[in-house]
Amino acid sequence: KFVPETTSTLVCDMSSNFLSRPVDVSKFGIIYGGVQKNLAPAGLAVMIIREDLIKPDHLHPVPKIWDFKLQSDGNSCVNTPNVFSIYMTNLVLKHIKKCGGSNTLPTFP
């Protein structure tokens, strides 16, 4: 629950936190996590990337899967996506929205 104040870019694995509580995403450069804990079946990752971090890096080339600019331009479909996990995630998110949004989900201590 604690997010440090820093001038550095914060990167956080929130696999266990997705939809479990409100999060101020503006404090992070990158939030990522597997959907298998709180959102859908295994096989899909969710990433929230701050806009200024989505740029080509010609000085330090990375594999296509980690090229955020390429992923953003390709609508996250640079590789063949796991269609079943995407479908199930969509169903879960639609259900949550229909029920009033993530703020209506039960919370546990």
Side-chain angles (χ1 to χ4, degrees):
K1 295 181 180 185
F2 170 74
V3 179
E5 294 295 329
T6 180
T7 57
S8 299
T9 301
L10 289 178
V11 177
C12 185
D13 177 354
M14 289 197 179
S15 296
S16 297
N17 298 37
F18 278 128
L19 301 176
S20 65
R21 61 185 172 86
V23 173
D24 182 0
V25 297
S26 69
K27 293 186 176 190
F28 300 90
I30 299 173
I31 295 173
Y32 68 93
V35 299
Q36 68 274 8
K37 290 189 177 183
N38 295 343
L39 193 55
L44 189 66
V46 173
M47 295 190 79
I48 301 169
I49 305 171
R50 198 173 62 216
E51 190 82 26
D52 65 305
L53 297 176
I54 301 176
K55 58 186 175 187
D57 189 351
H58 300 290
L59 297 176
H60 304 94
V62 295
K64 289 181 181 180
I65 193 73
W66 293 113
D67 186 332
F68 302 143
K69 174 76 172 136
L70 185 64
Q71 290 287 351
S72 179
D73 291 346
N75 211 17
S76 297
C77 290
V78 173
N79 294 341
T80 304
N82 180 340
V83 179
F84 179 70
S85 286
I86 293 171
Y87 172 73
M88 292 302 296
T89 300
N90 186 42
L91 290 179
V92 170
L93 291 173
K94 282 182 178 179
H95 178 72
I96 291 169
K97 185 176 181 179
K98 180 181 171 185
C99 292
S102 60
N103 290 334
T104 64
L105 295 174
T107 57
F108 303 98

